[in-house]
Amino acid sequence: MRLFIALDLPASVRDRLTMVQGGLPGARWVAPESLHLTLRFVGDASHDMAEDLVAALSRVRASAFDLTLGGMGLFGDRRRARMLWVGTEPSAPLRHLQAKIEQAAQSTGLGAEHRKFHPHVTIARLKDAPRSRLEGFIADHGGLYLPPFTVDGFTLFRSHLGSEGARYEPLVEFELDRLQESVAAMP
């Protein structure tokens, strides 16, 4: 099975992101229910590896935190962009959570992730999108900033690849500690 670990976005955030989708030739827009922020790609894993991963992830301890999505960019080279994404404002708690998840993944025997963590939500996959239209789209929508939302957990997903694109199945949800709320409520 093909696995990855991600933040499943609240419906209000997904709705806001889908409002900017459209009007770009060559873009295959990500379905609202598939929008997520990947924390660690796992890839193909056996059932035993998946069980070990679930056990390791259940030991991850981090506090819930607020996250703001904003800004827009591209992955790919200058001549051929492959993905259009919305980024995040800098977030130490997000980086802390991702590092904990990376440690948990490596503890199960997975190799280290060699790509630098670049938190983002892919909103479109691109194929032959005209560069001028792409630059215009980013100029029009690149100032997008969404209200902060609370990240109170993360999810292990299974990816089902098909002719219509990938479909993501949540397998296990992991909760983050509510320590920040209880400390803030103290007199």
Side-chain angles (χ1 to χ4, degrees):
M1 67 185 94
R2 190 172 170 90
L3 304 176
F4 66 96
I5 304 151
L7 300 181
D8 193 11
L9 303 175
S12 61
V13 172
R14 290 193 310 261
D15 290 346
R16 291 285 307 271
L17 290 173
T18 57
M19 291 173 74
V20 300
Q21 293 179 327
L24 182 61
R28 190 175 82 219
W29 300 103
V30 175
E33 64 275 7
S34 295
L35 293 167
H36 65 276
L37 190 151
T38 300
L39 298 168
R40 175 62 152 89
F41 179 72
V42 175
D44 291 324
S46 68
H47 183 73
D48 289 343
M49 172 58 88
E51 286 182 349
D52 290 347
L53 186 59
V54 168
L57 291 172
S58 68
R59 293 188 292 274
V60 168
R61 292 291 171 258
S63 295
F65 58 94
D66 287 342
L67 185 64
T68 300
L69 298 181
M72 200 170 279
L74 301 168
F75 286 137
D77 60 35
R78 282 211 160 284
R79 293 178 310 195
R80 191 162 184 217
R82 295 179 295 111
M83 282 189 235
L84 176 64
W85 51 261
V86 173
T88 70
E89 285 195 341
S91 172
L94 176 62
R95 291 200 178 278
H96 174 76
L97 175 60
Q98 192 277 330
K100 292 271 197 175
I101 288 170
E102 177 64 24
Q103 289 173 344
Q106 289 182 33
S107 77
T108 66
L110 291 170
E113 177 62 69
H114 296 290
R115 291 175 291 184
K116 182 180 177 204
F117 179 56
H118 185 277
H120 68 279
V121 177
T122 299
I123 63 169
R125 288 179 174 57
L126 305 171
K127 184 174 181 182
D128 301 324
R131 191 69 189 184
S132 61
R133 293 288 297 270
L134 212 59
E135 289 170 356
F137 186 89
I138 290 176
D140 290 345
H141 301 288
L144 171 76
Y145 277 87
L146 279 63
F149 62 95
T150 300
V151 175
D152 56 8
F154 60 94
T155 304
L156 176 64
F157 285 93
R158 181 176 184 181
S159 178
H160 299 274
L161 302 178
S163 60
E164 298 294 316
R167 183 178 56 81
Y168 306 129
E169 172 190 5
L171 296 178
V172 182
E173 295 179 9
F174 302 90
E175 289 186 17
L176 297 178
D177 298 332
R178 294 296 190 152
L179 182 61
Q180 289 179 336
E181 290 179 3
S182 59
V183 169
M186 293 176 72

